[in-house]
Amino acid sequence: MNTLRCQYVQSRIAAFVNNECTERERRIVGQHLDKCSTCEAAYRKQRGLQRDIKRDLPRMGSATSGQLNAIWQRIEQDLATPTPQPTSNALRMPSSTWHYGLVAAMAVILLTLAWFTDSNSVYAAVPSQPVPQDVVEPRIATPVRISNQQSVAIAFATEYVTENEQTAPASGGILHNTPRQTPEPVTTQTEVNRTQ
Amino acid sequence: MLEHDDQQQAVDEAIIERCMAGDQLGFTELYERYAASVYRLCNTLLNTQEDAEDVVQESFVYAFKNIDRFDSDRATFKTWLFTIAVSRCRNMYRRKQFPLVALSAALQLRLPSSSGEHPETALAQSNVRDAVEEAVRSLAPHLREPLVLRYAHGLTYREIAEIMGCPQKTAESRVRLAHQKLRKIMQGQGRSLLEEILLI
Ligand SMILES: [Zn+2]
């Protein structure tokens, strides 16, 4: 980075690549890139990174249909179970682990404070749409689970499944009586288009 | 808004009406329409698949139990659902205080060996994908969220702002900041790899 102009241009390169510059910024950056090889190299790297992000991020973290089916079964189970009364069970501990629990709780509080301090500008803004009322409360009750489904989640990281390959959740559950084996092709496609 | 968004929204609203009228098959349809993207969102924001599965489950259960609170004048079903999921992911970060990925170790392991002058393209591509994924996972949540919503889910800044509960300008500047950080991370950690791949 050689000059103040280089510093400025490099601070605007991400915005430049994203088409988020003002007309004036775009002109300044563009003109400088024509004559500065250092900044031009930084620009090409940013463009390459942008290309990688756009290509790789939509594939990151995809589920297998088996995972989605397993989650659906848990959801059905949850919906069939009467809503538990809020209790503080999760906060009660056996007396022998009480001291460890206290230490852990203090640590969590300190870390949480640090987290809030670190990102206090992040969540301070007023939401522009209603956030569901209980969403921000820590969930106290343990989610209902079907025990043998934990193992479904293994070895998934390398398997990328696009959304239109997703099969329908298992049928015959609590919520519905009619078997339903295929996803809706039109709407699934829409979802896929949307994310590309 | 693009036309297919409008269509998608109209279909959602019709399904939701059926749900509210007691047609339970509607819930299955909503799950089929959104489970994959909600899962992908949660699994990108959280560090373990188990946490992602829990949050997906909780989010749909909440949405379904509170479907009558959904107001189509104020949000699309998708942004409403994503708002629920992101809030629950945030609860999960707070509970878990997950450590940021040890990036240097992760990336260096994936660098092609320096003895090979030209790494095979497929290997190199997969290395870049891993590197991008690791770098994204190393971002702080308030930067990771908008980046993922923008590039993995193609949402507009307005939608991102709705979901994150922040002004639109903030969403835009965070995406920019996330970009800068990613670039720094990837340049710092995988410099030779990036130069080989990105400058083709
Ligand atoms: Zn320069």
Side-chain angles (χ1 to χ4, degrees):
Chain A
M1 209 172 284
N2 304 319
T3 65
L4 278 178
R5 177 52 60 93
C6 288
Q7 284 179 31
Y8 168 76
V9 165
Q10 293 192 22
S11 76
R12 299 306 297 157
I13 276 181
F16 183 79
V17 170
N18 279 317
N19 277 327
E20 288 162 359
C21 284
T22 64
E23 197 50 50
R24 183 170 166 275
E25 288 170 333
R26 174 155 285 280
R27 204 170 49 241
I28 293 171
V29 172
Q31 283 171 0
H32 182 78
L33 292 181
D34 284 341
K35 58 192 181 195
C36 174
S37 59
T38 311
C39 290
E40 209 266 339
Y43 161 73
R44 283 194 297 164
K45 278 185 188 168
Q46 180 66 39
R47 206 181 47 186
L49 174 61
Q50 172 97 348
R51 191 189 58 198
D52 286 339
I53 291 172
K54 281 188 172 162
R55 187 192 57 215
D56 294 335
L57 223 51
R59 290 185 291 191
M60 185 173 162
S62 298
T64 63
S65 57
Q67 282 175 305
L68 295 181
N69 287 345
I71 297 169
W72 174 248
Q73 284 171 24
R74 282 158 51 181
I75 291 170
E76 283 189 308
Q77 184 106 348
D78 250 11
L79 291 176
T81 309
T83 311
Q85 293 303 307
T87 63
S88 56
N89 279 347
L91 299 175
R92 277 185 220 133
M93 282 163 261
S95 55
S96 59
T97 59
W98 192 85
H99 290 292
Y100 294 115
L102 185 65
V103 172
M106 292 297 286
V108 167
I109 288 165
L110 288 172
L111 286 167
T112 308
L113 282 174
W115 191 86
F116 271 111
T117 314
D118 192 37
S119 58
N120 56 1
S121 64
V122 175
Y123 303 120
V126 179
S128 61
Q129 73 161 43
V131 176
Q133 286 168 14
D134 76 342
V135 160
V136 292
E137 294 168 8
R139 185 185 167 99
I140 291 168
T142 315
V144 177
R145 315 193 70 136
I146 296 171
S147 59
N148 62 356
Q149 283 169 352
Q150 298 293 319
S151 58
V152 175
I154 302 167
F156 131 88
T158 56
E159 186 174 353
Y160 291 105
V161 179
T162 60
E163 284 165 78
N164 53 359
E165 287 172 299
Q166 164 201 344
T167 57
S171 60
I174 295 153
L175 278 177
H176 52 88
N177 301 319
T178 316
R180 179 174 186 83
Q181 296 294 354
T182 52
E184 308 235 333
V186 174
T187 55
T188 311
Q189 191 55 47
T190 308
E191 177 70 4
V192 168
N193 290 341
R194 177 74 189 261
T195 60
Q196 282 173 351
Chain B
M1 194 177 264
L2 299 174
E3 183 157 328
H4 66 250
D5 287 340
D6 285 340
Q7 286 169 357
Q8 191 171 352
Q9 202 172 334
V11 173
D12 285 345
E13 282 171 26
I15 298 173
I16 290 165
E17 263 181 38
R18 283 170 38 215
C19 290
M20 288 171 67
D23 178 1
Q24 294 181 328
L25 198 57
F27 291 115
T28 319
E29 288 179 34
L30 288 175
Y31 185 77
E32 284 170 3
R33 286 166 70 75
Y34 291 108
S37 40
V38 173
Y39 182 92
R40 203 155 50 80
L41 173 68
C42 297
N43 197 29
T44 317
L45 295 183
L46 299 170
N47 277 351
T48 75
Q49 290 173 36
E50 208 173 55
D51 287 349
E53 288 171 12
D54 286 348
V55 169
V56 172
Q57 176 188 359
E58 288 174 15
S59 301
F60 275 101
V61 167
Y62 179 89
F64 290 167
K65 284 184 174 171
N66 295 278
I67 195 81
D68 56 332
R69 290 197 204 169
F70 168 67
D71 180 354
S72 62
D73 292 337
R74 304 186 69 172
T76 63
F77 181 71
K78 181 175 179 171
T79 55
W80 187 65
L81 191 57
F82 273 34
T83 306
I84 294 169
V86 166
S87 298
R88 284 170 187 276
C89 285
R90 289 175 180 177
N91 290 344
M92 189 67 88
Y93 318 146
R94 285 168 200 166
R95 263 183 294 178
K96 297 264 174 145
Q97 282 301 320
F98 61 81
L100 298 181
V101 174
L103 194 74
S104 49
L107 281 178
Q108 274 158 15
L109 281 175
R110 293 193 170 96
L111 291 178
S113 74
S114 53
S115 58
E117 282 182 4
H118 301 288
E120 290 174 36
T121 311
L123 174 65
Q125 286 288 344
S126 121
N127 279 330
V128 169
R129 190 165 63 215
D130 289 343
V132 167
E133 181 162 342
E134 293 295 348
V136 168
R137 288 193 184 282
S138 77
L139 291 174
H142 71 283
L143 298 181
R144 195 192 302 187
E145 286 171 6
L147 189 84
V148 164
L149 292 167
R150 177 79 176 160
Y151 292 111
H153 295 273
L155 299 185
T156 64
Y157 284 119
R158 194 178 62 77
E159 290 170 318
I160 295 169
E162 272 177 30
I163 290 165
M164 293 190 61
C166 69
Q168 184 170 331
K169 286 279 174 203
T170 309
E172 289 176 22
S173 66
R174 282 188 201 152
V175 169
R176 269 203 299 277
L177 190 57
H179 256 277
Q180 285 166 14
K181 292 217 169 200
L182 276 190
R183 188 164 143 240
K184 268 189 193 144
I185 290 166
M186 295 186 70
Q187 275 178 332
Q189 303 297 334
R191 192 164 169 275
S192 58
L193 170 68
L194 281 177
E195 283 176 355
E196 283 164 19
I197 307 307
L198 302 184
L199 299 180
I200 292 169

